Amino acid sequence: MPIGRSITTLTAIAALVGAFACSSDSSTSPGQSVPESEIDQSVTSDVGESFADAVDQYDDNESFQADLSGGTSTFSAQSGSGAGTESRTVTCGGPDGEGWYSCVAYTDRGLTIARQVRFWSGGSLALGWNGATTDSVNHRWTRTGTVNSVVKPGKVRMIDDADTASMVVQRGTPVFHVWNGAGARIDSSTYTVNGVERIFAYTAHDTAAALTFTIPRSENPYPASGSISRNLELHFTAGGFDKTITRSAKITFNGTSVAELQVGALTCDLDLVTRVVSNCH
């Protein structure tokens, strides 16, 4: 793929972002009221945990593409919340007529992940990764499943995500891998307070912009720069209480394990290892 060229699917997903306002709340239905502070805190925590997951997924993409050879990739997958990495071996078929390798779905961090990948060298399709000649790599992946929150005991997260992204190699000293992508999410989280289940049902769209990893990754485990932005709509219910909320969110990276998280009017710190959101103001 010529450097800088994007995937058609990515453009289509990104076009959906404008459908959401930056931050607004609808009227609520009758029922026992839930404090705004609880809703805001839970939304911020959910967004933070999801963004940290996204960083792990991009890190997995880096390892997966570099280790794909002979139709299989034995790569290091993040275990989540600072638990380190685990080795995964995934079989892929292809490439097809458009250069895509389609890989057998596998389980990672409690989620089922299915992915496709294709490689470009010198502006032409390539059969795999080559550290000297690969210009860029396209990725498509989905993640589905149910997992427990690592931040809030008793909270359950249901995840149904679809993403596309392109990575461009910028050679020099050091070498950078720069990612741009888009994603669509239909996620939810639930927990119970005094016997009443809180249900946070999200529809969201993400845009990754110039998400940059410094090579070698072993010496630079966190994104050096770039951001992921999200526009979300939340349908919140708790017994007879019902509310619809829209929010914008953004995470900005600086090469450390702590990134800046913005959710609506709040600016916070997000620990990419523990997933904990703190210092909101």
Side-chain angles (χ1 to χ4, degrees), residues 98-111:
E98 295 183 335
W100 289 103
Y101 289 89
S102 296
C103 305
V104 175
Y106 60 98
T107 300
D108 187 23
R109 298 189 291 275
L111 301 176

Side-chain angles (χ1 to χ4, degrees), residues 87-199:
S87 179
R88 295 281 190 276
T89 298
V90 177
T91 301
C92 304
D96 64 14
E98 295 183 335
W100 289 103
Y101 289 89
S102 296
C103 305
V104 175
Y106 60 98
T107 300
D108 187 23
R109 298 189 291 275
L111 301 176
T112 298
I113 299 175
R115 59 163 76 236
Q116 293 178 297
V117 60
R118 70 178 174 184
F119 301 85
W120 299 83
S121 294
S124 299
L125 289 169
L127 295 178
W129 176 265
N130 184 305
T133 64
T134 298
D135 298 324
S136 57
V137 186
N138 300 147
H139 290 256
R140 298 170 176 163
W141 68 94
T142 59
R143 304 188 313 145
T144 57
T146 301
V147 296
N148 294 322
S149 168
V150 300
V151 177
K152 181 179 178 65
K155 178 187 285 188
V156 177
R157 302 170 60 213
M158 285 67 73
I159 296 172
D160 186 357
D161 299 345
D163 293 83
T164 64
S166 292
M167 185 282 296
V168 174
V169 179
Q170 291 187 355
R171 290 187 170 84
T173 306
V175 175
F176 296 105
H177 289 179
V178 182
W179 294 80
N180 290 280
R185 327 223 166 278
I186 306 174
D187 297 345
S188 63
S189 68
T190 62
Y191 62 90
T192 300
V193 176
N194 296 327
V196 178
E197 185 179 43
R198 270 77 162 139
I199 303 174

Side-chain angles (χ1 to χ4, degrees), residues 17-60:
V17 171
F20 295 92
C22 288
S23 180
S24 63
D25 299 350
S26 74
S27 59
T28 61
S29 63
Q32 184 177 359
S33 178
V34 175
E36 292 287 339
S37 58
E38 180 187 339
I39 297 173
D40 288 343
Q41 182 181 36
S42 294
V43 170
T44 301
S45 180
D46 283 347
V47 170
E49 195 164 358
S50 179
F51 274 156
D53 288 348
V55 174
D56 277 356
Q57 190 61 52
Y58 276 99
D59 192 68
D60 287 357

